[in-house]
């Protein structure tokens, strides 16, 4: 069980809402599954906004190109944020390893969204909002599985992951 640290305000006998806020902040910085899930969802929202922005920007060049670009850029961002923030694995897992292994999971998500867009194109046609809803639904489903795999394999604290790999950080 991780040690929950209190902040300066809590140690001075502050109001109950301040104590609750400090306790919540400390719990969210923990390494328990619930805290990791909250951080995972937060990173997912951020990377999804990047994905959606790129998708909408590049839609005039074709939905598959827009999907590919959005997926690649948002996945690289998400993998790094998950490595550093969600799973606190910066000291255990190198940048390249996180991108390679997390990227494999992202590739499965890309295949799922590309397939959904291709199969449902007659239904959603050129409605940008319908395309975004479709992508959101597919990435949400894939994201649930992705959390479990990232937590148990890619960023695991298991013995095979306890040594720091000397990998060059990207320039």
């Amino acid at each position: 069980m991780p040690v929950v640290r209190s902040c300066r305000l809590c140690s001075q006998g502050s109001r109950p809402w301040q104590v609750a806020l400090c306790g919540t902040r400390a719990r969210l910085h923990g390494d328990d599954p619930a805290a990791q899930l909250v951080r995972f969802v937060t990173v997912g929202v951020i990377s999804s906004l990047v994905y959606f922005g790129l998708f909408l920007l590049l839609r005039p060049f074709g939905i598959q190109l827009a999907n590919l670009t959005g997926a690649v850029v948002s996945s690289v961002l998400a993998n790094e944020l998950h490595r550093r923030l969600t799973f606190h694995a910066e000291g255990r897992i190198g940048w390249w390893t996180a991108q390679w292994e997390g990227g494999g999971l992202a590739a499965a998500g890309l295949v799922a969204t590309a397939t959904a867009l291709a199969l449902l194109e007659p239904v959603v046609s050129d409605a940008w909002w319908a395309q975004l809803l479709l992508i959101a639904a597919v990435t949400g489903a894939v994201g649930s599985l992705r959390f479990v795999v990232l937590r148990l394999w890619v960023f695991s604290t298991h013995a095979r992951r306890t040594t720091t790999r000397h990998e060059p950080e990207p320039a």
Side-chain angles (χ1 to χ4, degrees):
M1 189 61 136
V3 176
V4 177
R5 298 178 306 238
S6 63
C7 68
R8 181 180 50 82
L9 291 174
C10 293
S11 62
Q12 296 174 355
S14 299
R15 294 184 176 98
W17 68 267
Q18 289 172 320
V19 174
L21 178 64
C22 292
T24 300
R25 186 181 311 147
R27 281 190 299 278
L28 289 177
H29 287 283
D31 284 325
D32 60 289
Q36 289 177 341
L37 181 61
V38 169
R39 292 191 304 265
F40 182 84
V41 169
T42 302
V43 167
V45 168
I46 292 167
S47 63
S48 292
L49 291 173
V50 169
Y51 187 132
F52 294 159
L54 288 169
F55 182 82
L56 290 174
L57 183 68
L58 298 173
R59 262 182 80 242
F61 302 103
I63 61 172
Q64 293 297 344
L65 175 66
N67 183 47
L68 174 65
T69 305
V72 169
V73 171
S74 67
S75 293
V76 169
L77 173 67
N79 288 337
E80 182 60 9
L81 290 175
H82 287 317
R83 182 176 81 100
R84 289 177 181 230
L85 303 175
T86 305
F87 299 105
H88 300 146
E90 189 173 9
R92 297 187 322 267
I93 307 296
W95 189 87
W96 289 108
T97 300
Q99 294 303 324
W100 179 253
E101 294 176 359
L105 293 170
L110 175 61
V111 168
T113 57
T115 302
L117 284 169
L119 291 175
L120 296 174
E121 187 173 10
V123 176
V124 297
S125 69
D126 290 333
W128 65 268
W129 58 269
Q131 292 169 345
L132 284 184
L133 285 175
L134 177 61
I135 290 170
V138 173
T139 56
V142 170
S144 300
L145 178 62
R146 185 174 157 93
F147 173 74
V148 172
V149 174
L150 286 174
R151 186 172 191 287
L152 297 178
W153 180 57
V154 177
F155 299 116
S156 171
T157 57
H158 188 268
R160 78 174 186 92
R161 295 291 190 180
T162 56
T163 58
T164 303
R165 298 201 175 118
H166 298 331
E167 300 177 358
E169 292 291 325

